[in-house]
Amino acid sequence: MALPYFLGCPQWQHPAWNSGLPSGKSPLNRYSQVFNCVEGNTTFYATPSREQCQQWRLQVPDDFRFLLKFSHLITHDRLLSGVDAGMRDFLEVVAPLEDVLGPFLLQLPAAFGPQHLNNLWRFVDALPAPLECTVEVRNSAFFSKGEAEKALNRGLRERCVSRVCMDTRALFAATPDNEITIEAQRKKPRVPVHLLPGDAAPVIRYIGHPDLETNRRYLAPWVERVANWIEEGRRPYFFLHMPDIGDALSLTEIWTGLLSKRVDGLEPLHFNEKQPQIGLF
């Protein structure tokens, strides 16, 4: 059964997932039998080889999507200024994945402010068709509903580019009483949830509460939102994070259980059953 939306995690392997995912030739192959997209966090830190990308392509079905991040050298160190050569080199490396690429995740740091918007427009406009990106901002000016945010949203809509919505409300509702939660709250931005209406496929990154059951009330509004998008014929991307990423499969069970009660024909995922979960896609 093909999912009518894209569901994924920030990575495709974790030791805690070994007993939950179906058997396969590789961690990516096992992951892609259940999820149909993944965040490419690894490419933020290091660019893979072209040969590695060729291997990744062989391990996933045709309807799978990689949302790769551009290198931090492009987004964080250079703030998208003077990076044409870096973009071309990166696109050449990931070319073997072109038919399974979702929008690139263009994650911008808090240092990227309104004064840098022209860098963003030059970068997006230089991205060769049919490649596209989705933009995540972290500067407070882009959440103030003032002129800076209006300019950002206007430019994105004009280019049919989605604005990543990062929902960290559940994470920051947690008491920071252990190292994992403290580290997650340190790394993730505490920003308002701002959705940008438009024609581009929505991209949601949900960061969960360490207590799994607490997530139900934070996920409930997303159930209705995602269900409405599905009914409209859109295919949003919905990524599930946890402070301890080993808990992501358990969060997926909760999420798909909630959504299956709202969308006819969808079935919840279960990861503790002994039978292999083959044929989901």
Side-chain angles (χ1 to χ4, degrees):
M1 180 185 68
L3 288 175
Y5 72 112
F6 290 101
L7 175 65
C9 295
Q11 59 197 58
W12 61 68
Q13 63 179 321
H14 189 278
W17 301 354
N18 288 339
S19 62
L21 293 177
S23 60
K25 297 179 180 179
S26 68
L28 176 56
N29 178 253
R30 298 178 68 196
Y31 172 94
S32 67
Q33 294 177 55
V34 178
F35 297 97
N36 59 356
C37 67
V38 70
E39 291 184 15
N41 285 325
T42 57
T43 57
F44 178 79
Y45 299 102
T47 300
S49 67
R50 187 180 175 95
E51 292 72 23
Q52 183 64 67
C53 291
Q54 290 171 339
Q55 289 300 313
W56 289 347
R57 178 62 187 93
L58 295 173
Q59 296 169 32
V60 300
D62 292 345
D63 60 354
F64 190 86
R65 294 293 179 267
F66 291 89
L67 276 71
L68 302 179
K69 288 184 180 179
F70 281 99
S71 166
H72 67 92
L73 300 175
I74 290 175
T75 56
H76 286 53
D77 293 6
R78 299 298 301 272
L79 299 178
L80 304 183
S81 176
V83 294
D84 290 352
M87 174 203 282
R88 289 193 299 270
D89 292 345
F90 182 77
L91 296 182
E92 176 63 25
V93 167
V94 303
L97 296 170
E98 186 166 347
D99 68 316
V100 287
L101 287 177
F104 288 103
L105 278 170
L106 193 58
Q107 186 182 88
L108 301 173
F112 189 98
Q115 70 274 25
H116 302 112
L117 277 180
N118 284 336
N119 294 351
L120 174 60
W121 307 141
R122 282 193 294 268
F123 187 91
V124 173
D125 293 342
L127 197 63
L131 302 178
E132 57 185 5
C133 66
T134 181
V135 176
E136 179 182 311
V137 291
R138 298 190 174 187
N139 187 287
S140 60
F142 296 130
F143 296 89
S144 65
K145 299 184 179 180
E147 291 306 313
E149 184 168 12
K150 291 177 183 177
L152 170 69
N153 291 346
R154 182 171 58 250
L156 294 176
R157 278 195 296 263
E158 288 173 352
R159 293 164 172 82
C160 197
V161 172
S162 63
R163 174 176 174 173
V164 174
C165 178
M166 175 171 276
D167 186 355
T168 58
R169 291 174 294 186
L171 170 64
F172 284 100
T175 302
D177 55 5
N178 60 81
E179 290 184 7
I180 293 177
T181 301
I182 291 171
E183 182 66 5
Q185 291 181 347
R186 183 186 70 82
K187 288 184 175 180
K188 301 300 181 186
R190 191 169 191 169
V191 294
V193 175
H194 284 198
L195 278 172
L196 175 64
D199 296 330
V203 178
I204 311 301
R205 303 177 71 210
Y206 174 87
I207 319 298
H209 192 287
D211 176 65
L212 284 162
E213 289 300 312
T214 299
N215 287 290
R216 291 183 181 275
R217 65 188 180 94
Y218 289 98
L219 287 171
W222 286 117
V223 169
E224 189 63 25
R225 179 78 66 169
V226 171
N228 287 337
W229 282 330
I230 291 172
E231 291 166 356
E232 293 168 2
R234 307 180 72 182
R235 296 196 72 188
Y237 292 87
F238 199 83
F239 292 102
L240 293 166
H241 296 235
M242 284 292 288
D244 182 346
I245 197 59
D247 295 329
L249 298 191
S250 297
L251 182 61
T252 300
E253 289 187 348
I254 292 174
W255 162 253
T256 58
L258 293 171
L259 191 62
S260 68
K261 296 176 181 178
R262 174 61 178 78
V263 179
D264 292 339
L266 279 185
E267 296 181 2
L269 295 175
H270 299 287
F271 296 97
N272 296 319
E273 299 174 355
K274 293 183 179 179
Q275 65 269 25
Q277 302 169 33
I278 305 299
L280 289 172
F281 299 103

